[in-house]
Amino acid sequence: MVKSRQRFLNAGYYKALADCLAATFIKKSSSSPQKVLDIGCGEGYYLEKLNKIAQQDKIAIELVGVDIAKRAVRLAAKRKFNAQLVVDSAYQLPLFSDSIDTALSVFSPICPMETERVLRPGGVLIMAGPGEEHLTGLTKYIYDKHQSHEGNFKNINKHPAFEFKEQLEVKTNIMVDEAHTLDLLAMTPYYWHTSPEQQRVISDLKHLKTQIHFYIRVYQNSL
């Protein structure tokens, strides 16, 4: 799953999401330097993109990435951008309280209590999750009717510390070539609901046209 995600993201299919996340961060940055935490950083794609945009805009940032998957963190380290990377759980973040200016979660589950603990008062949480029409071109090979995933938003709205500020929507079509169709499937939860025959059909596609649909939600730590 990790290697599939790396290959797929490096091919640029989710660039629209990465660009919108970076733009949202730049707009919400109230001070410099910024200490930024990516919860569930995976192999570092979004952290690297954020670092590049911050350098272009001359925003001083200190990047921290946390992921439970050791192999993913090793791959993130090989990207060779300046970041502190650690293998650990989102439910027990190895950070001091009130030490983070901006927290980022892209599809990854978070612990609201731990996130609030490490995020300074007034700090910003930026979350990205799938929209209702995400990957409809892929799921038609799996289900009779498209089934969307709830994503990582379900717990955050119940926590009193996080004040909802803004929602952005990213929706566009992509054309996935045959080298990455199975990578796309393997990096999603849909993989665990496919039969070997369905996997073969998807991997044999010359191209897969699908919509990608994301929500980006911005919260502020009000405590």
Side-chain angles (χ1 to χ4, degrees), residues 33-83:
Q34 284 266 314
K35 191 166 185 178
V36 182
L37 167 66
D38 187 353
I39 304 170
C41 66
E43 35 57 70
Y45 173 77
Y46 296 104
L47 266 182
E48 185 180 45
K49 296 299 181 186
L50 188 61
N51 182 61
K52 182 178 180 181
I53 296 297
Q55 287 182 336
Q56 291 174 356
D57 284 59
K58 295 182 170 53
I59 296 175
I61 58 173
E62 182 181 347
L63 300 175
V64 181
V66 175
D67 201 286
I68 197 66
K70 184 183 296 185
R71 180 170 293 182
V73 173
R74 286 176 174 168
L75 289 173
K78 290 181 180 180
R79 289 186 180 271
K80 300 186 185 303
F81 63 98
N82 189 23

Side-chain angles (χ1 to χ4, degrees), residues 151-169:
N152 53 338
F153 297 125
K154 58 183 178 180
N155 293 327
I156 198 67
N157 294 323
K158 301 175 183 178
H159 195 282
F162 291 103
E163 181 182 354
F164 176 75
K165 290 294 185 179
E166 182 181 12
Q167 176 170 285
L168 304 169
E169 187 175 24

Side-chain angles (χ1 to χ4, degrees), residues 25 30-31 33-39 47 50 61-66 84 86 93-105 114-126 162 219-221 223:
F25 167 75
S30 58
S31 62
Q34 284 266 314
K35 191 166 185 178
V36 182
L37 167 66
D38 187 353
I39 304 170
L47 266 182
L50 188 61
I61 58 173
E62 182 181 347
L63 300 175
V64 181
V66 175
Q84 293 178 308
V86 62
L93 295 168
L95 296 163
F96 291 118
S97 298
D98 303 334
S99 62
I100 297 297
D101 297 296
T102 301
L104 179 69
S105 168
E114 266 295 270
T115 304
E116 184 269 325
R117 181 185 67 80
V118 302
L119 196 62
R120 65 167 177 81
V124 173
L125 170 64
I126 302 173
F162 291 103
Y219 301 85
Q220 187 169 38
N221 181 9
L223 296 184

Side-chain angles (χ1 to χ4, degrees), residues 1-221:
M1 180 182 286
V2 171
K3 293 290 279 187
S4 293
R5 173 177 167 172
Q6 183 188 49
R7 288 190 295 264
F8 185 86
L9 293 178
N10 284 348
Y13 293 110
Y14 281 6
K15 183 178 182 298
L17 174 60
D19 288 346
C20 191
L21 283 168
T24 302
F25 167 75
I26 297 298
K27 184 174 68 171
K28 297 297 179 182
S29 296
S30 58
S31 62
S32 185
Q34 284 266 314
K35 191 166 185 178
V36 182
L37 167 66
D38 187 353
I39 304 170
C41 66
E43 35 57 70
Y45 173 77
Y46 296 104
L47 266 182
E48 185 180 45
K49 296 299 181 186
L50 188 61
N51 182 61
K52 182 178 180 181
I53 296 297
Q55 287 182 336
Q56 291 174 356
D57 284 59
K58 295 182 170 53
I59 296 175
I61 58 173
E62 182 181 347
L63 300 175
V64 181
V66 175
D67 201 286
I68 197 66
K70 184 183 296 185
R71 180 170 293 182
V73 173
R74 286 176 174 168
L75 289 173
K78 290 181 180 180
R79 289 186 180 271
K80 300 186 185 303
F81 63 98
N82 189 23
Q84 293 178 308
L85 302 168
V86 62
V87 179
D88 217 321
S89 169
Y91 292 82
Q92 191 172 355
L93 295 168
L95 296 163
F96 291 118
S97 298
D98 303 334
S99 62
I100 297 297
D101 297 296
T102 301
L104 179 69
S105 168
V106 185
F107 301 112
S108 299
I110 68 170
C111 173
M113 291 179 62
E114 266 295 270
T115 304
E116 184 269 325
R117 181 185 67 80
V118 302
L119 196 62
R120 65 167 177 81
V124 173
L125 170 64
I126 302 173
M127 302 186 70
E132 299 84 1
E133 299 172 58
H134 186 51
L135 299 180
T136 50
L138 174 66
T139 59
K140 71 180 183 181
Y141 294 98
I142 305 171
Y143 305 113
D144 293 331
K145 183 179 179 181
H146 173 69
Q147 297 185 26
S148 59
H149 282 281
E150 186 175 11
N152 53 338
F153 297 125
K154 58 183 178 180
N155 293 327
I156 198 67
N157 294 323
K158 301 175 183 178
H159 195 282
F162 291 103
E163 181 182 354
F164 176 75
K165 290 294 185 179
E166 182 181 12
Q167 176 170 285
L168 304 169
E169 187 175 24
V170 179
K171 185 187 291 188
T172 188
N173 290 314
I174 59 172
M175 185 71 74
V176 183
D177 65 39
E178 62 182 328
H180 298 109
T181 52
L182 195 57
D183 284 334
L184 172 58
L185 175 64
M187 64 182 263
T188 70
Y190 294 120
Y191 179 82
W192 308 107
H193 300 277
T194 56
S195 66
E197 174 62 20
Q198 288 173 319
Q199 293 173 20
R200 185 192 64 78
V201 169
I202 292 169
S203 66
D204 287 346
L205 294 172
K206 294 298 182 184
H207 297 284
L208 188 154
K209 183 178 180 180
T210 184
Q211 186 169 85
I212 55 174
H213 183 200
F214 312 101
Y215 291 118
I216 296 174
R217 296 180 184 173
V218 180
Y219 301 85
Q220 187 169 38
N221 181 9

